[in-house]
Amino acid sequence: MLKKTSITAIGLTVAAGAITATSSGAFAAPEPGANTEPVPPKGARAQVQVTPNPVWRGQEVTITGDCGGGTGLKAVLSGYSETTPVLEDVRIVDDNPASFIAKGRLSERVGNGVGPVFVDCGGEAGVTLVVTHA
């Protein structure tokens, strides 16, 4: 299990990458006639999805995505701290960097709202939000 400082560091890295990308215009619409898609900054290129979403307390979810150039799925972190996880019993089923799969269960301690789900892909990170219902 990763320590609280690791969870915080990953969260801050993803947040800093998103802020940098937004302020530098990396997510801005391409120029008319350009054939390129905007690219997130290095270190924040992993993509992650949680299904089903929204999810109910105790329900099992599947976490999928790609590592965006990272070496493979290393960890799935969720919530705002180790004492308030959004997902519990998270296990990596397939760490394939091109299409990883993990499973978990929504914590019984969450209520209605949203919670972050982070992935550490060995050099690349990603984040999504899961909508929770009590």
Side-chain angles (χ1 to χ4, degrees):
M1 175 132 261
L2 295 175
K3 294 186 180 215
K4 187 175 183 179
T5 53
S6 297
I7 293 171
T8 303
I10 289 171
L12 291 175
T13 301
V14 171
I19 290 168
T20 301
T22 303
S23 64
S24 68
F27 291 122
E31 293 291 322
N35 291 332
T36 61
E37 291 289 321
V39 177
K42 182 90 173 110
R45 294 183 179 164
Q47 297 179 8
V48 59
Q49 302 84 37
V50 176
T51 53
N53 192 3
V55 64
W56 299 91
R57 283 186 195 171
Q59 188 174 15
E60 185 171 85
V61 297
T62 302
I63 302 107
T64 58
D66 72 78
C67 287
T71 59
L73 184 61
K74 307 295 182 209
V76 176
L77 310 166
S78 67
Y80 302 101
S81 70
E82 284 185 10
T83 60
T84 314
V86 172
L87 300 178
E88 297 178 332
D89 303 324
V90 176
R91 59 205 178 283
I92 296 172
V93 175
D94 186 354
D95 66 354
N96 181 347
S99 62
F100 61 77
I101 301 170
K103 299 275 187 176
R105 183 178 46 78
L106 188 65
S107 173
E108 294 286 343
R109 296 182 285 171
V110 300
N112 293 327
V114 295
V117 176
F118 302 94
V119 293
D120 173 359
C121 278
E124 297 291 341
V127 64
T128 193
L129 293 175
V130 63
V131 178
T132 63
H133 291 291

